Amino acid sequence: MRGPLEKLRVLERATGIAGPYAGRLLAMLGATVVKCEPTQGDPVRRQPVDSVPVSADAPGSLHVHLNAGKRLVTRDRLPLDRALAWADVVIDSAVARELRGTPLDPDTLAAGVDAPLLVTTSAWGFEADDAGSPCDELLVQAAAGVMCTTGDPEGPPLRLPGFQAQYLAGGYVAAAALAALRGPGWRHVDVPWVHAIASGVEASWARSLQAGLRDPPGGAHQADVFPSGALACADGFVVPGTVRPADWVAQCRVYGMPELMEDERFRSRGRRRRNCEELWSELEPWYAARTRSEIFEAALAGNWALGMVLAGRDLLDDPHVASRGYLGTVELPKGATARAPVRPWKAPDTGEAVARLAEPGEDDGWFAREARPRAPAEAPARGALAELRVLELTQAWAGPFAGRLLAALGADVVKVESQRRPDGWRGPSAFGDMAPHAGRDPKELSVEISTAYNGLNRSKRHCSIDLTLDAGRHAFLDLVRAADVVIANLTARVLPNLRLTFDDLSAVNPRIILVNMPALGATGPFRDAVGYGTIVEGMGGLGSLFGPPEAGARISQTYYP
């Protein structure tokens, strides 16, 4: 596959999900990824999905997803010394005791000359006794604290469906590898699954550490932002958003019930929380009379944040997914093809979304003939991302999380807010239970005490610019001239309205990279949708698999996506 990483060489010795997913992401961006399988094959070849056994006549769907676009070689036919001389990065799923005394022992690599970067990922960390297997997902989620905030208040906890800890760890592995390659000297980076998935509930950890508060399980519907959760309609479920005050106004108009805005029982969040059963009795007939598509289209037209709960079979025919090019062709052995995810992003330099799945050991001969030692790397002047300058136009979670990750890796990140409209996650919040710690009046308001905001926006610089003013726009463009990256997770119409599209930014800085992350993307028929993590859970298929089977669909309380 074509892409900006065409010169990158990756030796993937990892089995399972986390390491191979990292290799898949890098392959999607053009890297040459050589998957070095054990003689008996990666066990994930036979790993069932949704308890459906893998057919003996075709590759398993999980294997296709994780390994399309890679070259497959057999481990015992690959001279390891030659492979290490070829690779820029080695991804492994082994723990320390398994690598000790081998050419991949970190001590051996550190003592060598121009050794490849080593990135390891396993369930509990490199020093653990056991690397774990994909089936340890339940244990990892439980140990990380994810399950403490799921389930019903009086019922058992619920695990997030699928292999969320391992996929998230794979994302971190790919990001860490690209960052570490920029730094001086040899590095070993280790990414435990348990630490990766714990970052999905860090807001709860922050409240506990900073304020001594514990988030209880929220149940199927978050009462403080009701209507919420997966609500039944004529042909399935939808996920309404009521996070912004504007969402409540918009949905009442879409319902054709403007009187609800003036109803004393429902006029505020607190009142809707106390009277959620009465509110649902008013709304249930409206939902029951309409399909998912009808409700979603009405929400799009009314600027109301709402999503449909889609399953995998729905995504195969979804017009937005098709227009985004997310699904593409994977060429399978023996002339067969499959429709599968081929790239989760859109970018101008990534070429056609077609990938090939090799047969076991198919590329043994290619490596023997074609693989040449890499050229010696030039030593970077400074560490990791120290010379990278990033501007953030972000709100809430996803955008600030991306900026904070870059800041943690050494980038200079400047978050741009407006004093008139700051990031809503700041608050304002009352000191409340934190007042004794801070020596403040419990009722005093502050925009500096939100635990979730503070956790996501540490390690950054901050400035206030009103981008709706000409002077503010020019001030921001002055910053863009000196920047490398702009990150935005605003709705798709915001940057065009502010005249800050990629064309506007690149006109003042041709080197600029714009990372634009609206909930459903900046292109396609659903591009104007407003979205939160709960809505993405529905649209992305997670909601259709979450919760007890009798529920039909469920949305988590953590805004996980």
Side-chain angles (χ1 to χ4, degrees):
M1 298 180 73
R2 286 188 56 243
L5 299 184
E6 286 181 344
K7 295 181 179 179
L8 182 66
R9 302 173 173 190
V10 180
L11 180 67
E12 181 192 300
R13 291 172 50 89
T15 58
I17 293 170
Y21 183 58
R24 176 84 168 105
L25 288 172
L26 296 173
M28 288 175 179
L29 286 168
T32 300
V33 179
V34 172
K35 182 177 179 67
C36 186
E37 282 194 282
T39 304
Q40 66 274 23
D42 187 334
V44 85
R45 284 180 174 273
R46 316 310 308 167
Q47 179 75 37
V49 176
D50 300 339
S51 302
V52 178
V54 175
S55 167
D57 301 325
S61 58
L62 189 59
H63 172 67
V64 173
H65 175 51
L66 293 172
N67 295 294
K70 302 176 184 177
R71 293 192 177 272
L72 301 190
V73 301
T74 309
R75 187 173 295 183
D76 62 4
R77 296 181 183 176
L78 183 70
L80 185 54
D81 56 348
R82 186 177 175 197
L84 295 181
W86 171 85
D88 300 301
V89 180
V90 177
I91 300 175
D92 209 318
S93 54
V95 292
R97 66 174 182 80
E98 296 171 311
L99 296 185
R100 195 168 291 122
T102 75
L104 278 168
D105 187 324
D107 291 340
T108 302
L109 290 173
V113 177
D114 198 34
L117 168 72
L118 176 64
V119 187
T120 53
T121 181
S122 56
W124 312 105
F126 190 64
E127 300 301 330
D129 292 333
D130 180 61
S133 74
C135 295
D136 288 331
E137 179 73 27
L138 174 64
L139 298 176
V140 169
Q141 288 194 27
V146 174
M147 295 168 62
C148 294
T149 56
T150 60
D152 298 312
E154 304 302 325
L158 296 172
R159 57 162 282 174
L160 294 171
F163 304 100
Q164 299 303 323
Q166 295 166 70
Y167 279 119
L168 189 53
Y172 281 133
V173 166
L178 294 178
L181 283 169
R182 294 172 57 107
W186 179 82
R187 279 185 168 86
H188 170 209
V189 179
D190 185 51
V191 181
W193 314 343
V194 66
H195 293 167
I197 193 66
S199 67
V201 286
E202 66 174 86
S204 296
W205 285 106
R207 273 189 287 276
S208 175
L209 292 168
Q210 186 173 334
L213 303 175
R214 179 176 176 178
D215 291 341
H221 305 282
Q222 293 174 294
D224 60 338
V225 290
F226 192 82
S228 65
L231 300 184
C233 61
D235 63 345
F237 295 85
V238 294
V239 185
T242 320
V243 174
R244 306 172 303 170
D247 285 324
W248 174 240
V249 174
Q251 64 188 276
C252 288
R253 290 173 177 161
V254 172
Y255 298 146
M257 304 178 192
E259 66 276 9
L260 293 179
M261 290 185 280
E262 303 302 323
D263 192 311
E264 289 296 325
R265 298 171 296 172
F266 313 132
R267 288 184 65 176
S268 68
R269 269 191 183 188
R271 293 179 183 185
R272 291 194 292 275
R273 177 172 61 243
R274 291 190 294 272
N275 300 300
C276 59
E277 292 184 8
E278 293 177 53
L279 179 55
W280 180 237
S281 70
E282 298 272 358
L283 299 178
E284 186 175 18
W286 186 90
Y287 282 90
R290 291 163 176 81
T291 65
R292 293 178 301 178
S293 295
E294 289 171 339
I295 297 172
F296 181 68
E297 289 170 7
L300 272 180
N303 196 32
W304 167 26
L306 177 137
M308 300 177 282
V309 176
L310 302 178
R313 60 183 175 274
D314 298 313
L315 293 171
L316 290 173
D317 300 314
D318 184 83
H320 187 75
V321 169
S323 73
R324 299 276 303 167
Y326 173 61
L327 297 175
T329 301
V330 174
E331 299 170 351
L332 302 178
K334 302 176 183 177
T337 61
R339 241 179 123 204
V342 289
R343 191 176 287 128
W345 49 74
K346 285 182 73 71
D349 57 350
T350 48
E352 188 180 359
V354 176
R356 158 185 164 270
L357 180 71
E359 293 194 65
E362 181 178 335
D363 295 302
D364 289 349
W366 170 85
F367 195 91
R369 292 190 312 272
E370 305 292 338
R372 301 285 186 271
R374 68 186 180 283
E378 293 184 10
R382 299 176 65 186
L385 304 185
E387 297 181 357
L388 193 72
R389 291 179 168 185
V390 180
L391 294 174
E392 271 194 43
L393 293 175
T394 66
Q395 299 273 327
W397 195 332
F401 185 85
R404 194 198 68 194
L405 177 61
L406 296 176
L409 292 167
D412 180 6
V413 180
V414 178
K415 180 170 175 124
V416 177
E417 296 175 84
S418 164
Q419 190 169 7
R420 188 167 59 85
R421 291 189 64 184
D423 186 336
W425 273 37
R426 279 188 178 271
S429 302
F431 275 83
D433 294 335
M434 292 174 56
H437 304 288
R440 310 296 284 265
D441 180 347
K443 296 181 180 179
E444 183 182 347
L445 298 179
S446 171
V447 293
E448 309 296 343
I449 64 169
S450 165
T451 54
Y453 178 90
N454 291 347
L456 287 163
N457 292 284
R458 64 179 183 261
S459 306
K460 304 174 186 178
R461 296 195 280 170
H462 296 247
C463 66
S464 177
I465 300 178
D466 189 340
L467 296 172
T468 65
L469 303 177
D470 284 342
R473 180 175 177 275
H474 291 310
F476 180 73
L477 291 175
D478 280 342
L479 292 176
V480 170
R481 288 185 175 90
D484 300 294
V485 181
V486 174
I487 300 175
N489 70 320
L490 311 170
T491 55
R493 61 169 66 96
V494 173
L495 292 184
N497 288 348
L498 294 172
R499 293 176 294 136
L500 293 174
T501 65
F502 177 69
D503 288 341
D504 296 313
L505 302 180
S506 60
V508 301
N509 181 353
R511 294 175 48 258
I512 201 69
I513 295 169
L514 173 64
V515 180
N516 197 17
M517 45 197 297
L520 303 185
T523 62
F526 302 161
R527 62 185 176 276
D528 290 331
V530 179
Y532 317 117
T534 52
I535 289 166
V536 176
E537 285 185 27
M539 298 295 284
L542 188 145
S544 68
L545 299 172
F546 184 43
E550 63 272 14
R554 183 99 177 224
I555 300 299
S556 79
Q557 293 84 40
T558 66
Y559 293 78
Y560 173 69

